[in-house]
Amino acid sequence: ILNVEQSPQSLHVQEGDSTNFTCSFPSSNFYALHWYRWETAKSPEALFVMTLNGDEKKKGRISATLNTKEGYSYLYIKGSQPEDSATYLCACRSGGTSYGKLTFGQGTILTVHP
Amino acid sequence: EAGVTQFPSHSVIEKGQTVTLRCDPISGHDNLYWYRRVMGKEIKFLLHFVKESKQDESGMPNNRFLAERTGGTYSTLKVQPAELEDSGVYFCASSQFRGGNTEAFFGQGTRLTVV
C-alpha cells in the first residue's frame, strides 16, 4: 500500500509571507510526483510533474523540489497572495502494473490573509 | 481546446436510488481515470480505462459501482443503489500517456450527496 503524507494539514499566512509544505512518499518503486492546486468546485490545476531525484521546478512564485532517495518533495510559495489560497495536493505515481494511477495525500489547505 | 468535463456538477439523491455520472475526457486522450474524495479524506483512485478497456479497477469499492467507456470516448460511472457512504466528490481525469512525466488533467468533479 502506497501512503502519501502531506504536512501541515492547514496553514494560515499573511500576504507577502513565504511558505512551504511537505509531501512524503515511499521511495521504493517511485515513478513520478505531481503537485496540484485545487480550489473547491474547480478542476485541480496541475502545477508540476517531477520524476528525477534532485529535480527543481518553478512556475512564477511557486517552486518545488524532489528527493526520491529519501522520499519527499517540498512546495514553496514566495510572497504569498490571497489568490494563492487553495488546497495543495501532491500525488505519487508508482511503477508496476498500475503505474497509471495517482495516489494522493490529504492536501494542505493554505489561507492567505490580506 | 476543451478540458475534461463532468456532468452533472452536483447531484442530490435518496439512498437506494441510482445515479449516473458522465465524464468527457480531452479529445485524443486514451487514458481515463475515475477518482473519489470523501469529505475530509484524500482523493482515492477508483479505476483506469485505456481506450474502452478497464486497465485497473482495483479501487472500485463494491459491485454497486459500474463504469463504462463504450467506444473509448466518454465514460459513465453508475452507482446503483446509492448508499449514504457514497457521498463525495467524484473526479475524472484524462491523460495522453500513462507513464513517465505525463500530466493528468482533471475535471471539476461531480459532488454527489446521498440523503
Side-chain angles (χ1 to χ4, degrees), chain A residues 72-87:
Chain A
Y72 65 84
S73 174
Y74 294 137
L75 187 79
Y76 301 92
I77 302 179
K78 185 177 176 182
S80 303
Q81 300 297 308
E83 58 265 30
D84 295 329
S85 297
T87 298

Side-chain angles (χ1 to χ4, degrees), chain B residues 67-80:
Chain B
E68 294 181 323
R69 193 183 181 195
T70 307
T73 53
Y74 71 90
S75 174
T76 57
L77 180 65
K78 183 162 73 172
V79 185
Q80 178 184 29

Side-chain angles (χ1 to χ4, degrees), chain A residues 11-22:
Chain A
L11 196 54
H12 291 257
V13 301
Q14 290 297 127
E15 182 175 355
D17 287 350
S18 293
T19 187
N20 65 85
F21 334 124
T22 304

